[in-house]
Amino acid sequence: MEVAEKNIPCNSVVGGNFEEVCSEKVIRFKPPLYKQRYQFVRDLVDRHEPKKVADLGCGDTKLLKLLKIYPCIQLLVGVDINEEKLHSNGHHLSPYLGEFVKPRDLDLTVTLYHGSVVERDSRLLGFDLITCIELIEHLNSDDLARFPEVVFGYLSPSMIVISTPNAEFNPLFPTVTLRDADHKFEWSRMEFQTWASRVADSYNYCVEFTGVGTPPAGFEHVGYCTQIGVFRKNSGKLAEPFVSQQHDQHVYKAVYTTSYPSLQQEKVLKFVLVGELLIQVERLRLRHQRMLREQEKELDPKPGDTDFSQAPHLLLGEVFTEAEKARIENSPQPFCEGEKFCIPLRRLLAYPKLHRLCVEEDRMRSLIADSVCLSNDGSAIVVDLHNSWDYWPEDN
Amino acid sequence: MSGRARVRARGIIPGHGAREVGCAPGDLTASSIASPGDSQALSSGTSSISQPPNTGISNDDGGRTFTERGKVRRDVIDLSVCTREKLAHVKDCKAGSSGIPLQLVTNLFSLDLPQDWQLYQYHVTYSPDLASRRLRIALLYSHSKLLDKAKAFDGTILFLSEKLDLKVTELTSETQRGETVTITLTLTTQLSSSSPVCIQFFSVIFRKIFKKLKMYQIGRNFYKPSEPVEIPQYKLSLWPGFAVSVSRFESRLLLNADVSYKVLRNETVLEFMTDLCLRTGMSHFTETCQKQLVGLIVLTRYNNKTYRIDDIDWSVKPTHAFQKRDGSEITYMDYYKQQYNITLSDLNQPVLVSLLKRKRKDSSEPQMVHLVPELCFLTGLSSQATSDFHLMKAVAEETRLSPVGRQQQLARLVDDIQRNQVARLELETWGLHFGSQISLTGRVVPSEKILLQDHTCQPATAADWSKDMRTCKILSSQPLSRWLIVCCNRAENLIEGLMSCLRRVGGPMGFNVGYPKIIKVDEKPAAFLRAIQLHVNPDVQLVMCILPSNPKNYYDSIKKYLSSDCPVPSQCVLTRTLTKQGMMMSVATKIAMQMTCKLGGELWAVEIPLKSLMVAGIDICRDALNKDVVVVGFVASINSRITRWFSRCVLQRTAADIADCLKVCLTGALNKWYKHNHDLPSRIIIYRDGVGDGQLKTVLDYEVPQLLSSVTECSSGASSSRLSVVVVRKRCLLRFFTETGHTVQNPPLGTVVDSEATRAEWYDFYLVSQTANRGTVSPTYYNIIYDDNGLKPDHMQRLTFKLCHLYYNWQGLISVPAPCQYAHKLTFLVAQSIHKEPSLELSDNLFYL
């Protein structure tokens, strides 16, 4: 965090994700405050590994975009009352092209709903984490009153994060009364904590208070620029998915939805399995070839052959842990049958990149059967030991 | 400067600095029609290098940039070159009339607009001025005055489909902080639907629509990675998609869509490197790696961007730190963990360096990014892969679509657009009506007779007349008496068989083959070359080399020596080819024909009504070893029958693929013509291949004058030859089908289209001169940019068709006029193998066949 004295005209306040700026004194958070808020949520996700996460008041879906990379999350939902924003930002949440080549382990569905956070929609039931970042200060008093019973009472997720401006920090911004024209209020720490504790009590949650945006030296007494309450459900258990058909209540309009390719999908698993398998087979084949070459060389040493002595300081490829090494060494060895090179499936499954796919040998056999050539008993993959990658220009 | 220092000096953040999608070579147009006569056709025909993407318009929904970078799409630039208006004889009508009319379906779709449709362009200013583009856009979009109007705004330029009441409109708006801002909209232009800006604007609309259909833009095309076609044995995925362009054709705005596939390799650059290291061993590793990877396009795992690999920096590791734009330092490893939650597994990998095309505002140096190999996927096919016959066959199996298959894909696309509510709404608000597939009338020109020495044959099919001429005598040939065969000991036993076959096929052809001198050597490239140097003297007519497998080393050194240092025609044959059971007669026929041509013989002719006509072909490509060198091939006919050729190849150092040696080439050809005919040709028609998007003007302004000045100087007072220049394009998005009942088929050979799918600005036509057995045929596009001859369009079209019959390496029609194919073959040999100019002593022979 740094405070700089500068004369910057007061025009860089944009939307919700602004840097607090004023004409005489610039308080510049580093990283910017909005990023700190998002980082706070990311740290929570890292720590608690929620499966289902919803961001209420997701706006331009920036936070969702950051969260979609977490492998633990399988359902990611954004809700906002600005439908246009959801429409125009939806495609930012679609999988990256690279995710079709190296897919995720677990399924992920991202959905954006148009609707108000004070309406009940059963599709948001049973979540592990619901975030309301800089949301409540935009609610009018009626909505604010209904907010706890919907989010805490009805949706009742395992964890809720609520962030809101700390009004005590505002005097450090010279001209600011409210930080945004749409803010209906900005609370002091006392006001927020009182409200939050009351809500937590009524719905059986416990709450801890923290914040982001540390105040400058000498102003520690004003507290964080953004105050945050982290609410956790007291039952201690993760919420059970109790979406029953009877209570289905679909008031939100789904504006955008996308599903990610993942190893949970048979087609994708097959694609990744065969891909990793062939890479490993090729590697073993090349290693075997090289071994044969070296053996030949030992029989017929040629002077000046310095193939391995002057290797640059490079170490490419996987580095195995002791446990992985042991697993590989304890698996059956590849072997040669004439010009054919055979690699037992069990050997292949010992390599970390295949091992992590957690596929049984039998399942593997059936998945790869139409993509590779198997030995008669089906226990090994068979390839030509020498397959020329030389090229053949046509005769001319 | 080390890579690290370089990065620091420029303060570049990997991944972040990059704002644009790089070009994407290896886009596979689904056609992949191999013209069978062309040995390289499979590779060169399938993987087309897409043009780098235009940068004129970006399509972030947050705000589009229309013209602020001042660049216009390259093919749009070409459209501003109006060549037709200068050609008086086709000003009113450029259509031919001969042949049988034929109804054709195209892959063009109507894009109709109301009669008086206009696009209104406004310049927008703010008072007080707002720096943030986002804020500018947000304020304007939320203003009630514009709320229900169709609009597109990039922060400065606003497009509306309806005109505002006043020329200058002032709007007042309030920022979220309560500041009052005055927005002034000034009408700058009214654009008709045919203006280039408008066409770019439509492209933006369609880009948006394709995004809504969950397609991803790579380069200029759109792909659906969610429906991949896998070729696991070659570690390839093919993403189906479309190449799309909106533009104004003859009289109306049309959308042209063709099926395209994106090739993805299912491995990271790191995996590729590891394998390569195992293959090559350490000593050659870095060098080979550099060679194999530089120039390839990668896709990163953490965004949707593609980058070209320009270099590999072996001194930088993921554990090294770089400076972020805010000044703080972070290691690559930590950066990817923090930013993308990605843990790098290999901390010893080097980094890939990519130079971005777009420069930063404050510096003239191109921006550079570092990429981590582990996070990059390879796209497209390597040259290694394209020369792997089995791999290419597997790819072709998947990508080669029959006309029916193609038509189904197109129908699905149209259906998807029309069913998607958002897409439909987008079109409707602008008043665009997207709909029907365009049909038009083409013509099938009459088939040609093949003239042989004492026989004229009307082939059963123009696609292949090898059977028709099996027992016929070729037009002329030199007897082959003084020649050598160089082979290794192992191959010696094959020679007897080859000789007897050559004699058997040579006899009926009229090509007499004497017994060669046989030289046996060790199986080493150096041994072959030494034997050739020792035994070849000016008296030798031809050298045949029988090469073992992995012939590239042999081939290059032999061709280099015999094409340039000691010019003697040469014929290389693979041992493998000579051991094919049951194929010997056809192999021998092909070899005999090639040898005849290399000795200056003529195989067949077609009837050419114009006497004293010279035709020439020009092709251009880059040298394979030195990308700074451009190889220009020029091949011109030197007799009225168009059976003998003058071939010249020039290497030049230029940045652009534009020839500046054409004067000397054409003068050389005219001199040769004069020597043979004691006169100059009264007409010259030149077919120029290898013109990229956006180069049309340069060809017209720079190449045509060279040709003209050669013509003027050679004639010196006498009536000078009349010149026409035709730009030839093998790759175009356009497809034609014939409809029979409920199914579609490829159009017949000789189909000409010169209306509706052509351009009003140009004297142009399409010609189908090749067959596709299983795929969809791709018509060749001809654009006559300069024309003193004033031949009727009918005659121009038919002459072009005739010339497609004259490529002596294939007994059948090919996709381009023969001189273009000869020029291509010549430049390919020089660019791939010889790397220097072949001797002019060989210029009378088709030594490169």
Side-chain angles (χ1 to χ4, degrees):
Chain A
M1 145 100 211
E2 60 187 48
V3 182
E5 303 283 331
K6 261 186 205 165
N7 285 318
I8 296 176
C10 202
N11 62 6
S12 46
V13 181
V14 182
N17 298 329
F18 58 87
E19 295 173 11
E20 279 71 1
V21 186
C22 63
S23 52
E24 290 94 37
K25 196 159 60 171
V26 181
I27 295 188
R28 205 184 281 273
F29 290 100
K30 203 174 148 188
L33 195 57
Y34 76 95
K35 280 196 183 165
Q36 291 190 33
R37 287 192 287 261
Y38 293 160
Q39 190 56 45
F40 182 85
V41 176
R42 292 174 66 178
D43 290 342
L44 272 186
V45 168
D46 253 340
R47 232 174 306 138
H48 299 284
E49 306 200 333
K51 265 192 190 165
K52 298 179 170 188
V53 180
D55 184 29
L56 306 184
C58 63
D60 55 11
T61 71
K62 265 230 171 75
L63 178 59
L64 297 174
K65 204 180 158 199
L66 293 172
L67 294 182
K68 76 184 181 103
I69 60 175
Y70 284 86
C72 57
I73 300 179
Q74 292 188 259
L75 179 61
L76 192 57
V77 166
V79 179
D80 206 280
I81 48 164
N82 186 336
E83 190 178 355
E84 178 55 36
K85 263 191 181 170
L86 298 182
H87 266 302
S88 56
N89 287 299
H91 68 265
H92 290 309
L93 298 171
S94 55
Y96 291 132
L97 286 169
E99 285 176 283
F100 293 94
V101 193
K102 283 264 145 59
R104 298 164 46 94
D105 287 356
L106 301 173
D107 284 336
L108 168 64
T109 305
V110 182
T111 306
L112 297 180
Y113 292 116
H114 172 226
S116 159
V117 296
V118 294
E119 288 172 314
R120 294 157 191 249
D121 190 299
S122 60
R123 288 170 294 187
L124 264 76
L125 290 173
F127 273 61
D128 301 304
L129 171 65
I130 288 185
T131 57
C132 309
I133 303 303
E134 307 295 274
L135 167 76
I136 55 168
E137 64 275 12
H138 292 272
L139 304 178
N140 62 33
S141 53
D142 284 354
D143 285 345
L144 184 67
R146 286 165 66 200
F147 175 80
E149 69 178 81
V150 175
V151 177
F152 289 78
Y154 176 69
L155 301 181
S156 189
S158 307
M159 191 185 280
I160 300 170
V161 178
I162 295 178
S163 85
T164 191
N166 168 16
E168 290 165 73
F169 196 97
N170 287 358
L172 299 184
F173 305 119
T175 56
V176 169
T177 45
L178 290 179
R179 295 183 198 173
D180 186 295
D182 188 53
H183 284 185
K184 308 298 186 295
F185 59 86
E186 278 169 14
W187 275 339
S188 68
R189 279 171 292 175
M190 181 63 100
E191 288 168 303
F192 176 57
Q193 291 180 12
T194 311
W195 175 85
S197 305
R198 200 170 34 86
V199 170
D201 281 349
S202 3
Y203 295 99
N204 197 25
Y205 278 78
C206 62
V207 57
E208 277 172 53
F209 298 100
T210 175
V212 293
T214 37
F219 293 91
E220 288 83 358
H221 62 277
V222 304
Y224 292 114
C225 188
T226 297
Q227 45 183 338
I228 300 174
V230 180
F231 300 76
R232 311 186 64 174
K233 213 172 178 174
N234 276 336
S235 59
K237 278 195 289 177
L238 284 173
E240 292 105 44
F242 55 88
V243 191
S244 76
Q245 289 301 315
Q246 285 169 338
H247 295 105
D248 261 8
Q249 223 178 327
H250 293 187
V251 287
Y252 291 167
K253 178 183 165 197
V255 170
Y256 175 87
T257 184
T258 184
S259 310
Y260 281 55
S262 90
L263 297 180
Q264 287 183 299
Q265 297 148 20
E266 171 114 345
K267 208 179 100 189
V268 178
L269 176 66
K270 182 177 167 179
F271 160 69
V272 172
L273 180 69
V274 172
E276 293 290 359
L277 195 90
L278 289 170
I279 287 174
Q280 198 55 55
V281 166
E282 182 69 354
R283 225 164 255 183
L284 290 169
R285 187 181 72 85
L286 290 170
R287 215 165 274 162
H288 191 83
Q289 264 187 18
R290 167 184 281 207
M291 197 187 74
L292 293 178
R293 273 206 305 272
E294 273 167 66
Q295 280 172 358
E296 245 172 65
K297 241 175 253 166
E298 272 164 35
L299 295 175
D300 174 26
K302 282 180 195 159
D305 204 334
T306 55
D307 202 9
F308 303 104
S309 54
Q310 44 169 252
H313 299 289
L314 263 179
L315 180 78
L316 282 167
E318 299 162 278
V319 183
F320 299 130
T321 63
E322 288 304 317
E324 285 166 351
K325 264 187 216 156
R327 193 174 62 219
I328 294 166
E329 271 158 31
N330 288 331
S331 65
Q333 292 266 347
F335 54 94
C336 266
E337 271 178 1
E339 269 296 285
K340 297 286 179 189
F341 183 59
C342 309
I343 313 105
L345 296 187
R346 274 166 56 210
R347 173 72 168 200
L348 289 163
L349 281 170
Y351 287 95
K353 282 191 173 169
L354 287 151
H355 186 77
R356 66 172 278 279
L357 298 175
C358 298
V359 180
E360 295 293 318
E361 192 185 335
D362 283 340
R363 174 120 190 266
M364 171 163 169
R365 200 170 2 254
S366 71
L367 282 170
I368 61 174
D370 49 359
S371 311
V372 298
C373 177
L374 288 170
S375 61
N376 288 336
D377 63 351
S379 68
I381 289 185
V382 183
V383 292
D384 290 330
L385 180 57
H386 297 279
N387 91 49
S388 81
W389 83 329
D390 318 323
Y391 61 99
W392 315 90
E394 293 290 300
D395 309 350
N396 37 21
Chain B
M1 198 166 18
S2 76
R4 186 180 170 187
R6 260 181 282 160
V7 176
R8 204 176 279 155
R10 293 181 204 162
I12 289 158
I13 305 169
H16 244 197
R19 288 297 309 153
E20 79 173 18
V21 176
C23 58
D27 287 351
L28 223 61
T29 42
S31 58
S32 53
I33 304 306
S35 126
D38 176 16
S39 57
Q40 263 74 41
L42 194 62
S43 50
S44 59
T46 11
S47 85
S48 65
I49 306 291
S50 76
Q51 292 299 319
N54 59 83
T55 49
I57 304 187
S58 73
N59 185 29
D60 290 328
D61 283 326
R64 313 183 192 95
T65 314
F66 297 101
T67 44
E68 62 174 13
R69 285 177 219 105
K71 281 188 192 165
V72 183
R73 232 171 67 186
R74 296 187 200 194
D75 47 344
V76 176
I77 297 178
D78 283 343
L79 281 174
S80 64
V81 185
C82 305
T83 43
R84 185 178 168 191
E85 61 189 21
K86 295 198 185 96
L87 309 175
H89 64 296
V90 289
K91 216 167 187 177
D92 297 326
C93 176
K94 64 175 179 185
S97 56
S98 70
I100 303 154
L102 179 68
Q103 201 63 24
L104 297 167
V105 182
T106 64
N107 58 345
L108 294 166
F109 299 88
S110 67
L111 212 50
D112 293 333
L113 291 161
Q115 194 90 69
D116 51 352
W117 191 92
Q118 290 214 305
L119 191 64
Y120 301 93
Q121 184 180 336
Y122 289 86
H123 184 72
V124 182
T125 55
Y126 293 80
S127 165
D129 194 23
L130 299 175
S132 155
R133 202 171 76 128
R134 266 182 60 191
L135 186 55
R136 290 165 77 110
I137 292 167
L139 279 183
L140 188 94
Y141 267 63
S142 56
H143 198 279
S144 56
K145 176 108 183 166
L146 299 169
L147 215 52
D148 300 324
K149 292 198 163 62
K151 55 189 171 290
F153 184 48
D154 69 353
T156 314
I157 294 167
L158 171 73
F159 289 112
L160 295 176
S161 64
E162 282 173 56
K163 197 176 179 178
L164 298 173
D165 299 336
L166 297 168
K167 190 173 185 297
V168 180
T169 309
E170 280 201 358
L171 306 174
T172 333
S173 195
E174 203 173 276
T175 65
Q176 287 186 318
R177 307 204 59 193
E179 256 185 307
T180 307
V181 176
T182 311
I183 309 174
T184 312
L185 314 176
T186 314
L187 181 67
T188 47
T189 341
Q190 283 176 226
L191 299 159
S192 74
S193 63
S194 58
S195 81
V197 176
C198 214
I199 281 162
Q200 267 188 291
F201 168 79
F202 290 132
S203 305
V204 171
I205 303 277
F206 270 94
R207 238 176 275 181
K208 208 168 156 184
I209 288 171
F210 278 98
K211 242 180 205 174
K212 296 284 182 214
L213 298 178
K214 305 217 166 164
M215 294 211 199
Y216 291 73
Q217 183 173 7
I218 304 178
R220 224 186 259 174
N221 302 347
F222 298 87
Y223 297 97
K224 256 201 172 143
S226 52
E227 294 168 19
V229 179
E230 312 286 357
I231 309 179
Q233 63 272 37
Y234 294 108
K235 292 188 263 185
L236 294 177
S237 296
L238 304 171
W239 290 347
F242 296 92
V244 181
S245 94
V246 177
S247 53
R248 200 176 168 77
F249 288 83
E250 206 60 53
S251 59
R252 57 203 285 210
L253 195 65
L254 297 171
L255 176 90
N256 189 190
D258 191 23
V259 180
S260 160
Y261 287 90
K262 181 86 205 157
V263 178
L264 251 289
R265 292 196 245 170
N266 304 337
E267 59 182 348
T268 64
V269 175
L270 181 64
E271 283 161 348
F272 178 85
M273 285 174 147
T274 313
D275 271 10
L276 197 68
C277 182
L278 281 171
R279 278 175 212 280
T280 60
M282 268 304 185
S283 58
H284 303 292
F285 172 60
T286 50
E287 187 194 326
T288 325
C289 206
Q290 199 97 3
K291 218 188 233 169
Q292 298 253 355
L293 285 173
V294 168
L296 291 182
I297 303 297
V298 295
L299 175 72
T300 55
R301 193 171 133 189
Y302 45 82
N303 59 23
N304 285 332
K305 288 170 189 148
T306 51
Y307 302 86
R308 181 183 190 273
I309 303 177
D310 291 304
D311 196 7
I312 302 170
D313 194 332
W314 300 92
S315 65
V316 182
K317 306 266 170 256
T319 45
H320 290 182
F322 67 97
Q323 200 174 35
K324 289 211 287 192
R325 216 170 266 165
D326 66 4
S328 62
E329 286 216 343
I330 187 168
T331 64
Y332 292 94
M333 186 174 81
D334 292 342
Y335 175 81
Y336 284 105
K337 180 68 199 163
Q338 256 180 37
Q339 198 74 17
Y340 304 108
N341 197 32
I342 295 172
T343 312
L344 297 178
S345 72
D346 186 334
L347 301 181
N348 283 301
Q349 55 190 317
V351 296
L352 309 175
V353 181
S354 179
L355 301 173
L356 303 184
K357 286 215 192 63
R358 188 171 306 162
K359 286 169 184 160
R360 265 195 180 166
K361 275 181 196 148
D362 52 349
S363 109
S364 57
E365 271 187 279
Q367 229 173 307
M368 180 182 75
V369 287
H370 278 179
L371 305 164
V372 178
E374 190 178 344
L375 306 179
C376 295
F377 301 110
L378 289 165
T379 72
L381 294 170
S382 62
S383 55
Q384 186 104 50
T386 48
S387 54
D388 181 334
F389 174 74
H390 296 287
L391 185 153
M392 293 310 287
K393 197 174 154 195
V395 171
E397 290 287 308
E398 300 293 348
T399 58
R400 192 169 38 203
L401 279 179
S402 68
V404 174
R406 191 172 297 265
Q407 180 70 341
Q408 279 165 352
Q409 298 270 353
L410 291 173
R412 207 182 130 193
L413 175 70
V414 173
D415 204 49
D416 283 350
I417 293 176
Q418 285 172 340
R419 273 173 192 225
N420 188 297
Q421 218 179 359
V422 190
R424 224 177 38 218
L425 197 73
E426 183 74 34
L427 289 168
E428 273 169 20
T429 50
W430 292 102
L432 279 164
H433 184 79
F434 172 68
S436 56
Q437 196 164 4
I438 302 292
S439 290
L440 49 78
T441 310
R443 287 172 293 112
V444 185
V445 299
S447 61
E448 294 294 327
K449 292 191 195 72
I450 303 301
L451 313 178
L452 293 144
Q453 203 182 81
D454 37 33
H455 183 74
T456 297
C457 79
Q458 181 76 56
T461 164
D464 181 356
W465 56 76
S466 56
K467 286 202 182 77
D468 303 272
M469 66 174 283
R470 195 172 277 163
T471 53
C472 300
K473 266 204 166 57
I474 54 172
L475 289 177
S476 80
S477 69
Q478 304 277 330
L480 179 60
S481 45
R482 303 175 307 280
W483 64 303
L484 308 176
I485 290 185
V486 185
C487 67
C488 50
N489 294 318
R490 282 204 295 178
E492 197 196 349
N493 57 333
L494 297 169
I495 292 177
E496 207 49 55
L498 174 65
M499 280 310 301
S500 91
C501 287
L502 278 179
R503 288 219 168 102
R504 267 167 66 195
V505 299
M509 267 169 68
F511 175 47
N512 294 319
V513 185
Y515 206 81
K517 180 170 169 186
I518 295 166
I519 301 152
K520 284 174 281 181
V521 295
D522 286 345
E523 199 172 318
K524 280 183 199 143
F528 271 76
L529 192 59
R530 214 175 307 121
I532 290 167
Q533 285 166 340
L534 212 67
H535 291 94
V536 173
N537 57 54
D539 202 35
V540 171
Q541 289 174 285
L542 185 132
V543 180
M544 177 185 280
C545 298
I546 297 175
L547 304 180
S549 54
N550 190 12
K552 175 83 176 152
N553 302 338
Y554 296 84
Y555 187 80
D556 288 1
S557 58
I558 292 168
K559 285 289 178 188
K560 191 170 187 168
Y561 182 74
L562 290 177
S563 301
S564 164
D565 303 331
C566 172
V568 171
S570 56
Q571 179 77 36
C572 290
V573 184
L574 282 184
T575 317
R576 211 161 47 110
T577 314
L578 296 182
T579 50
K580 280 180 192 160
Q581 290 300 317
M583 298 281 288
M584 268 319 283
M585 287 306 278
S586 62
V587 167
T589 309
K590 181 149 189 184
I591 293 174
M593 288 195 173
Q594 283 187 343
M595 292 201 299
T596 311
C597 296
K598 287 174 182 182
L599 295 170
E602 300 147 276
L603 299 185
W604 62 81
V606 292
E607 203 178 314
I608 305 286
L610 294 168
K611 294 303 154 203
S612 193
L613 163 72
M614 172 192 269
V615 294
I618 302 171
D619 197 10
I620 284 189
C621 73
R622 293 260 158 196
D623 189 283
L625 293 185
N626 184 353
K627 297 287 179 198
D628 297 335
V629 171
V630 172
V631 182
V632 181
F634 181 98
V635 177
S637 62
I638 48 173
N639 61 353
S640 306
R641 227 175 170 187
I642 316 193
T643 52
R644 307 216 49 200
W645 303 90
F646 165 80
S647 309
R648 174 133 196 214
C649 190
V650 177
L651 304 192
Q652 60 179 44
R653 266 174 196 281
T654 35
D657 289 355
I658 289 292
D660 46 15
C661 55
L662 295 181
K663 188 173 170 184
V664 57
C665 289
L666 182 56
T667 304
L670 287 171
N671 288 338
K672 199 69 98 179
W673 177 283
Y674 193 86
K675 216 174 106 190
H676 285 261
N677 304 285
H678 314 293
D679 194 3
L680 286 171
S682 55
R683 298 172 187 278
I684 304 170
I685 297 179
I686 294 180
Y687 291 88
R688 165 72 155 91
D689 202 350
V691 179
D693 274 341
Q695 288 184 332
L696 199 61
K697 192 166 169 52
T698 329
V699 170
L700 190 67
D701 292 351
Y702 193 63
E703 291 190 357
V704 173
Q706 296 174 46
L707 297 166
L708 277 173
S709 88
S710 163
V711 171
T712 324
E713 277 174 34
C714 287
S715 64
S716 66
S719 69
S720 67
S721 318
R722 279 174 289 175
L723 179 77
S724 300
V725 180
V726 185
V727 170
V728 181
R729 253 191 197 215
K730 270 177 302 207
R731 273 172 223 127
C732 50
L733 288 186
L734 222 73
R735 306 287 174 158
F736 302 115
F737 313 111
T738 55
E739 225 169 352
T740 40
H742 292 293
T743 178
V744 287
Q745 285 181 322
N746 279 320
L749 287 169
T751 300
V752 171
V753 172
D754 52 15
S755 64
E756 288 189 73
T758 48
R759 312 276 188 168
E761 301 86 346
W762 297 336
Y763 171 21
D764 54 350
F765 64 91
Y766 296 87
L767 170 65
V768 175
S769 61
Q770 58 177 332
T771 47
N773 289 332
R774 275 182 289 170
T776 311
V777 75
S778 178
T780 306
Y781 181 63
Y782 297 89
N783 184 1
I784 299 129
I785 57 168
Y786 185 86
D787 191 4
D788 278 342
N789 280 302
L791 291 179
K792 280 195 214 156
D794 238 353
H795 294 162
M796 201 67 201
Q797 293 163 3
R798 288 197 62 187
L799 175 70
T800 305
F801 186 55
K802 283 170 188 287
L803 294 176
C804 296
H805 290 76
L806 294 176
Y807 183 59
Y808 287 163
N809 227 2
W810 177 250
Q811 294 152 276
L813 261 172
I814 60 165
S815 62
V816 291
C820 280
Q821 192 61 32
Y822 288 131
H824 170 74
K825 195 88 169 98
L826 173 59
T827 52
F828 189 84
L829 175 74
V830 172
Q832 294 295 323
S833 303
I834 307 185
H835 312 295
K836 56 189 201 181
E837 292 180 12
S839 165
L840 282 176
E841 282 179 47
L842 292 172
S843 67
D844 274 356
N845 305 336
L846 298 169
F847 64 95
Y848 42 83
L849 277 191

